[in-house]
Amino acid sequence: MNTAVAPIEELFRRMNFLVVDPSAGRADTIERYLLLTGAHMVRRAASPLLALRILQDKRLHTDCVLCQLDMQPMSGFDFLANLRGGRYGGHPLCDTKFILLSRQPIGQASDFKHLRLDGLIAGAFDRDQLCEAVFKAVSPAPGAAAGAGGTAPSGAIVVQPVNGAAGPGLPVAHIREQGVDLVIVLVEADFAQVPPDQVGDAVAALRRAAAEARLGGEVVPVWDMGDGRMGFIAPPGYHPYFQSISLDFVRANVNREIAFNGAGTGQRRRSA
């Protein structure tokens, strides 16, 4: 990272974060970025309701909330408005920093000021960009507000897409099993929804991304099918191995990531 690493890590070591995101894959990536940069604690909630329970628990101090904007049935904006308005138990959580994450760039932010939003991270980001943006939003220098057209709130950092990407990089477990190199890519659960005639293109796109990252081996996307099951797309000869491992094993072995813009995916398909 750059010269701002030392103050970022010094601050993060004193901070407890709460990541609110229904996507386990995105939450995994954000949690890993924060912990690698020295965060004292990272808790996670898959919905505003679960996040509220953590925030209301006086035993669990939270310094900063990173909340996904695009959630149903309550958006990140609505959750923030309810929190700041004291609609949950009458506590406005004024001392808790709140940063919204949006997968798409946001051009207009004229309504942000009254929400007392501390930061906005819109578009793609890598580890350095996420942590530096959080650092600036949590401890902004006077007059350091950033944003398109001056519409972002004080302290907000707007991160625009990088290299056409639509979000953080995809986690990869690059391992060697029985003499074979494997590039196991953790993708979103909706990978299974890609039309059958586009699956080949989706996997080919992952292979290109792995090649650009100089990762050699058989590229195998895996995803969470729920109930502890792992979906995957792999040549038939690899099925016994992937049927014998779990997502927890893959996550424990994540050691790289690939930049991926999601083109040609959407997606999920169950392996036979």
Side-chain angles (χ1 to χ4, degrees), residues 11-270:
L11 176 66
F12 278 27
R13 281 198 296 266
R14 305 192 301 268
M15 294 190 66
N16 295 329
F17 292 90
L18 173 60
V19 178
V20 186
D21 197 322
S23 166
R26 284 196 306 267
D28 283 344
T29 299
I30 295 168
E31 177 182 15
R32 188 173 69 258
Y33 286 171
L34 294 173
L35 290 175
L36 286 172
T37 313
H40 177 261
M41 174 69 69
V42 180
R43 298 184 178 93
R44 290 164 50 167
S47 71
L49 178 59
L50 294 175
L52 179 61
R53 294 176 182 172
I54 295 175
L55 292 170
Q56 289 182 328
D57 191 330
K58 296 181 179 179
R59 301 168 299 175
L60 306 176
H61 177 71
T62 300
D63 297 293
C64 180
V65 177
L66 288 89
C67 182
Q68 181 63 226
L69 170 63
D70 306 313
M71 297 187 295
Q72 296 294 335
M74 180 183 293
S75 73
F77 279 133
D78 292 335
F79 183 45
L80 172 61
N82 288 331
L83 284 177
R84 295 302 198 214
R87 297 186 180 93
Y88 299 135
H91 195 304
L93 295 174
C94 294
D95 295 332
T96 302
K97 300 294 185 180
F98 199 102
I99 298 173
L100 278 174
L101 306 174
S102 174
R103 286 173 289 179
Q104 300 297 329
I106 296 177
Q108 281 294 328
S110 58
D111 294 330
F112 291 172
K113 188 174 182 179
H114 77 282
L115 294 175
R116 285 175 284 169
L117 177 65
D118 296 290
L120 169 67
I121 302 175
F125 53 83
D126 58 21
R127 174 191 164 194
D128 288 358
Q129 290 172 318
L130 173 70
C131 293
E132 290 178 14
V134 171
F135 177 77
K136 292 176 182 177
V138 170
S139 57
T151 58
S154 177
I157 305 299
V158 177
V159 178
Q160 294 297 339
V162 177
N163 297 328
L170 294 177
V172 171
H174 191 211
I175 64 176
R176 189 169 182 82
E177 177 64 28
Q178 297 179 356
V180 177
D181 290 326
L182 296 174
V183 181
I184 307 175
V185 185
L186 275 164
V187 297
E188 298 290 343
D190 62 359
F191 196 91
Q193 297 171 4
V194 69
D197 60 344
Q198 296 180 22
V199 169
D201 291 340
V203 175
L206 291 174
R207 287 174 180 153
R208 288 193 296 272
E212 290 175 0
R214 298 184 179 180
L215 299 179
E218 184 69 37
V219 174
V220 177
V222 301
W223 60 88
D224 189 352
M225 294 178 62
D227 299 324
R229 297 176 301 158
M230 183 183 78
F232 62 88
I233 298 176
Y238 292 90
H239 286 199
Y241 173 73
F242 282 94
Q243 289 166 349
S244 71
I245 65 174
S246 66
L247 277 175
D248 287 341
F249 171 84
V250 176
R251 289 171 179 142
N253 284 277
V254 166
N255 52 14
R256 297 291 299 273
E257 65 182 43
I258 57 175
F260 186 63
N261 64 11
T265 66
Q267 308 142 348
R268 190 168 103 196
R269 177 183 173 187
R270 182 179 302 181

